[in-house]
């Protein structure tokens, strides 16, 4: 049993209502109209058609639900759009929405077809995905517009920054040196500095500048970073000496130390709500499966990443204890993705060990190249290319963060984070 909803931000989006749907229309302002429609379906297929501005949500994939439950989730998202004014995103290629396109010497770019094949308009934007990133999916659930990349923001603050900004950069990491062999990129520390350059413009765009502090405090900082510190640093022993200097536990401690410093820097700038995403099971991405020779997960790599994730979860507990005026939550990406790998059918997947676009073993030895023909049935693949999840997986991960249990988001989910004072 599956349910479909459609949302439109402009008045024109509600024209031509389809029969057979439960339609709910919410007028937030003269220009902002949310339109939700839910339809009972018998298929359990999970698809997304960006060209129709339509997302198919499956209420748990196995047990289904009902139209009221479906629309309740969406209504909550619409209501929270009024509570969460903006998202400020920091991270790597998992959430980069075009920043590296503007970096002349950057080698890590996704500015060519078939990247973006299933995104709005079907054109590449710089997202390392066939469609939406997990941040795009969170924007959908929160009723926010998709975020402009930092490199598109001018000194005059255009476009509007009041819905947030995406600072993520492909090949960037927690450590400044991570990914340096891939040319220009914004490390986490530079991304925080980039936010600082936008703050005056954000304040000037507010209708009431005195609400600036409240605006930042109600906004959410989303951090999705750390994968490159392993893939493009610690595991790349031919170019980096970090593995010779640190054992896996000590390297994870080093990362957490730097991560903490940047998180507290964001806190000092006025942000008070944080979603800190852990690193996924890197040993199971197509690239590392291909390197294993047998197509199996590289469990040694997963164990390394586990040290970082344990440290990040502990950091969340410490930050919440030390800063009662703020709220920090840990996104357990590792377990969420592992659940999809172990029980693919429950999530609508048929292929979890190979990329949809790429060449070689597990379609993970050569990255998705310009004009390469991707797989059919992209919504049934967990991975889009050698490193990155598909739109279908990203939507599921966003749902887990939005209203999931403590198994996947701790100590509270995004809905609960939104309602924190």
């Amino acid at each position: 049993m599956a349910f479909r909803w459609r949302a439109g931000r402009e008045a024109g989006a509600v024209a031509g209502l389809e029969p057979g749907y439960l339609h709910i229309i919410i007028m937030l302002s003269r220009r902002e109209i949310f339109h939700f429609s839910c339809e009972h379906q018998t298929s359990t297929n999970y698809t997304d058609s960006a060209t129709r501005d339509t997302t198919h949500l499956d209420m748990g994939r196995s047990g289904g639900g009902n139209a009221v439950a479906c629309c309740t989730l969406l209504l909550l998202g619409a209501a929270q759009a009024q509570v969460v004014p903006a998202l400020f995103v920091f991270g790597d290629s998992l959430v980069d929405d075009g920043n590296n396109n503007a970096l002349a010497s950057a080698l890590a770019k996704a500015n060519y077809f078939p990247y973006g094949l299933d995104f709005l308009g079907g054109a590449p934007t710089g997202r390392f995905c066939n469609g939406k990133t997990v941040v795009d999916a969170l924007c959908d659930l929160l009723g926010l517009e998709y975020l402009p990349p930092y490199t598109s923001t001018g000194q005059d603050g255009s476009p509007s920054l009041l819905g947030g900004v995406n600072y993520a950069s492909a090949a960037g990491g927690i450590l400044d040196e991570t990914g340096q062999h891939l040319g220009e990129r914004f490390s986490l520390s530079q991304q925080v500095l980039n936010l600082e350059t936008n703050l005056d413009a954000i304040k000037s765009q507010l209708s009431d500048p005195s609400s600036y502090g409240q605006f930042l405090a109600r906004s959410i900082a989303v951090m999705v970073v750390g994968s490159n510190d392993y893939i493009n640093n610690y595991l790349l022993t031919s170019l980096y000496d970090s593995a010779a200097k640190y054992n896996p536990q000590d390297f994870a401690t080093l990362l957490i130390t730097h991560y903490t410093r940047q998180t507290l820097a964001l806190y000092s700038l006025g942000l008070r709500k944080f979603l800190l995403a852990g690193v996924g099971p890197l040993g199971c991405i197509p690239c590392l499966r291909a390197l294993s020779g047998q197509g199996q997960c590289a469990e040694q790599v997963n164990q390394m990443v586990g040290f970082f994730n344990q440290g990040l979860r502990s950091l969340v507990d410490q930050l919440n204890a030390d800063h009662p005026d703020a709220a920090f939550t840990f996104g357990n990406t590792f377990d969420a993705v592992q659940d999809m790998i172990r029980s693919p059918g429950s999530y609508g997947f048929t292929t979890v060990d190979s990329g949809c676009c790429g060449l070689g073993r597990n379609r993970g030895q050569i990255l998705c190249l310009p004009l390469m023909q991707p797989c059919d049935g992209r919504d049934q693949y967990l991975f889009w290319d050698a490193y990155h999840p598909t739109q279908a997986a990203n939507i599921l991960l966003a749902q887990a963060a939005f209203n999931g249990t403590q198994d996947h988001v701790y100590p509270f989910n995004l809905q609960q984070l939104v309602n924190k004072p």
Side-chain angles (χ1 to χ4, degrees):
M1 184 176 294
F3 298 89
R4 182 170 68 181
W5 68 279
R6 186 174 62 185
R9 291 303 299 268
E10 302 296 335
V14 302
L17 301 183
E18 298 179 64
Y21 287 76
L22 171 60
H23 295 276
I24 297 179
I25 299 173
I26 306 172
M27 180 171 286
L28 300 178
S29 68
R30 293 184 63 185
R31 291 191 66 254
E32 291 185 303
I33 294 179
F34 278 84
H35 166 221
F36 301 118
S37 60
C38 297
E39 177 192 35
H40 177 273
Q41 299 175 338
T42 58
S43 170
T44 57
N45 290 337
Y46 186 95
T47 58
D48 181 277
S49 174
T51 57
R52 296 185 61 204
D53 192 25
T54 300
T55 303
H56 300 256
L57 291 180
D58 185 320
M59 307 297 285
R61 288 296 184 104
S62 56
N66 54 53
V68 173
C70 171
C71 287
T72 297
L73 175 64
L74 304 171
L75 286 168
L76 286 171
Q80 285 159 353
Q82 302 304 290
V83 179
V84 181
L87 293 182
F88 294 96
V89 176
F90 309 87
D92 51 35
S93 58
L94 293 171
V95 289
D96 186 349
D97 66 356
N99 279 310
N100 276 30
N101 287 354
L103 303 181
S105 71
L107 298 180
K109 295 183 180 181
N111 58 350
Y112 55 84
F113 186 88
Y115 286 96
L117 175 64
D118 297 310
F119 195 67
L120 303 177
T125 61
R127 290 166 169 82
F128 287 74
C129 185
N130 60 306
K132 299 174 184 177
T133 68
V134 67
V135 166
D136 295 325
L138 287 176
C139 286
D140 287 340
L141 291 169
L142 290 168
L144 296 172
E145 300 287 352
Y146 295 150
L147 307 180
Y150 164 74
T151 52
S152 73
T153 61
Q155 292 298 316
D156 59 353
S158 59
S160 174
L161 309 182
L162 296 186
V165 180
N166 190 323
Y167 299 92
S169 175
I174 298 168
L175 303 179
D176 289 344
E177 64 269 24
T178 289
Q180 62 188 2
H181 64 288
L182 294 172
E184 282 184 276
R185 74 267 175 239
F186 296 135
S187 65
L188 179 58
S189 62
Q190 184 60 54
Q191 292 175 37
V192 174
L193 292 174
N194 290 345
L195 167 64
E196 291 191 65
T197 68
N198 282 149
L199 292 181
D200 286 343
I202 290 171
K203 189 172 185 179
S204 69
Q205 290 180 8
L206 289 168
S207 57
D208 178 10
S210 66
S211 67
Y212 172 71
Q214 184 184 31
F215 170 84
L216 289 180
R218 288 167 52 212
S219 299
I220 297 176
V222 179
M223 300 177 69
V224 184
V225 66
S227 296
N228 283 318
D229 294 287
Y230 288 93
I231 297 172
N232 288 309
N233 188 330
Y234 194 74
L235 297 175
L236 201 56
T237 55
S238 61
L239 297 177
Y240 298 87
D241 62 358
S242 53
K245 290 181 176 179
Y246 305 97
N247 63 39
Q249 294 97 322
D250 289 343
F251 185 67
T253 300
L254 176 71
L255 294 181
I256 293 297
T257 299
H258 284 261
Y259 191 107
T260 303
R261 186 177 303 138
Q262 299 309 322
T263 304
L264 291 176
L266 294 174
Y267 173 87
S268 72
L269 294 175
L271 290 166
R272 291 294 181 268
K273 296 184 179 183
F274 295 81
L275 172 60
L276 311 181
V279 174
L282 294 182
C284 296
I285 64 176
C287 173
L288 291 184
R289 280 183 184 264
L291 290 175
S292 74
Q294 302 298 320
Q296 302 299 313
C297 292
E299 293 303 335
Q300 184 179 8
V301 174
N302 285 342
Q303 290 172 11
M304 293 178 185
V305 170
F307 294 123
F308 172 79
N309 288 332
Q310 291 166 14
L312 186 56
R313 179 176 167 129
S314 296
L315 174 62
V316 162
D317 283 334
Q318 188 64 50
L319 290 171
N320 281 321
D322 292 345
H323 303 282
D325 63 330
F328 303 81
T329 198
F330 167 65
N332 189 354
T333 310
F334 189 100
D335 282 357
V337 174
Q338 280 286 53
D339 286 349
M340 298 178 200
I341 292 172
R342 290 168 179 158
S343 302
S346 300
Y347 296 91
F349 297 121
T350 60
T351 305
V352 296
D353 58 354
S354 297
C356 175
C357 187
L359 293 174
R361 189 183 300 116
N362 298 92
R363 286 192 177 182
Q365 291 180 293
I366 298 178
L367 201 64
C368 187
L369 299 174
L371 304 179
M372 182 177 287
Q373 182 65 36
C375 67
D376 295 327
R378 295 181 289 278
D379 58 319
Q380 297 176 15
Y381 274 68
L382 173 59
F383 292 102
W384 162 245
D385 61 15
Y387 301 96
H388 307 97
T390 57
Q391 172 177 262
N394 283 329
I395 292 173
L396 286 170
L397 290 171
Q399 286 179 276
F402 185 70
N403 66 344
T405 66
Q406 289 193 358
D407 290 338
H408 291 159
V409 56
Y410 167 86
F412 27 75
N413 60 38
L414 197 58
Q415 282 184 308
Q416 295 164 335
L417 180 66
V418 165
N419 292 321
K420 290 286 180 180

